[in-house]
Amino acid sequence: GPDQACGLVYHGGFACAGATSALTPAVRGYNALSFGATSACGITVDGRPHCWGAPLGTVPNEVLSEVSVGQAHACGLRIDGSAVCWGDNSFGQAEPPPQIEYEAFSAIASGDRFTCGLSNYAGLVCWGQGPGVTDKPEGATGALSVHGGNACAAGGSRYPSYCWGEDAAALQPPEQAFGAIAVGARHACAIGGTDGSLYCWGDDSQSQLQAPA
């Protein structure tokens, strides 16, 4: 969330740091967590999504392998790789394309007004509105991250990484292969795909690029 962070610990528990707010997870076991600005969702140990904070509409009562929360909507992946979304759909961000167009997603990530999924068949697929959709790159194959109006995709050990969206000019990644990537508000960090080093770039006004030694 904007003022706190939570992570999973042993046996589906969680630990949080920062402000105490309505986004602190309910006491139950989770396999995954995702936080938006005012809402959060987790996948419980039985595989079903549970959401809290600002209402996101009707949460699907089905087994999911992944969940991602945007500004006022959320999307998840079913076991077969098909996408399901719920919440605000004012910009088409909660309306994934027909499964025949992508076969199966391996990753999904939600932003403010758009959502992207990564498919081995169709590559990067984005829906909704804004530069996160219109400016999506060709050739993105690795880890996917979306925040607000921005998105980044790692290229793995052999291909370049990409960042695009509202703040694309400030988010262009270094010429380095990355195995994992995460984008925040006008900055991004990634782990080198060959050496495991941490790289950060973009806005540093709050020392967000200064990783601890």
Side-chain angles (χ1 to χ4, degrees), residues 17-201:
T20 300
S21 73
L23 293 188
T24 300
V27 179
R28 61 176 67 190
Y30 295 97
N31 290 329
L33 293 172
S34 179
F35 289 79
T38 58
S39 306
C41 294
I43 296 178
T44 60
V45 292
D46 66 357
R48 300 182 185 278
H50 170 72
C51 298
W52 60 96
L56 288 174
T58 303
V59 181
N61 183 26
E62 55 186 302
V63 174
L64 302 180
S65 63
E66 190 170 328
V67 66
S68 179
V69 181
Q71 184 178 47
H73 80 290
C75 292
L77 294 183
R78 300 184 178 98
I79 300 303
D80 66 355
S82 61
V84 58
C85 299
W86 58 98
D88 178 45
N89 193 38
S90 300
F91 304 95
Q93 70 269 43
E95 188 174 346
Q99 189 176 3
I100 192 173
E101 295 183 11
Y102 60 85
E103 287 193 351
F105 286 129
S106 59
I108 197 165
S110 302
D112 284 354
R113 299 181 178 183
F114 72 106
T115 305
C116 291
L118 196 60
S119 162
N120 291 333
Y121 170 76
L124 184 66
V125 180
C126 297
W127 56 94
Q129 289 186 14
V133 176
T134 58
D135 297 343
K136 74 177 182 68
E138 299 296 330
T141 59
L144 178 64
S145 177
V146 173
H147 178 89
N150 299 311
C152 291
S157 60
R158 296 183 297 167
Y159 301 100
S161 298
Y162 304 90
C163 290
W164 68 100
E166 294 177 354
D167 300 302
L171 286 173
Q172 292 312 298
E175 295 183 2
Q176 168 74 29
F178 296 124
I181 198 165
V183 62
R186 295 180 57 83
H187 77 290
C189 290
I191 297 175
T194 56
D195 61 6
S197 298
L198 180 65
Y199 298 81
C200 295
W201 61 93

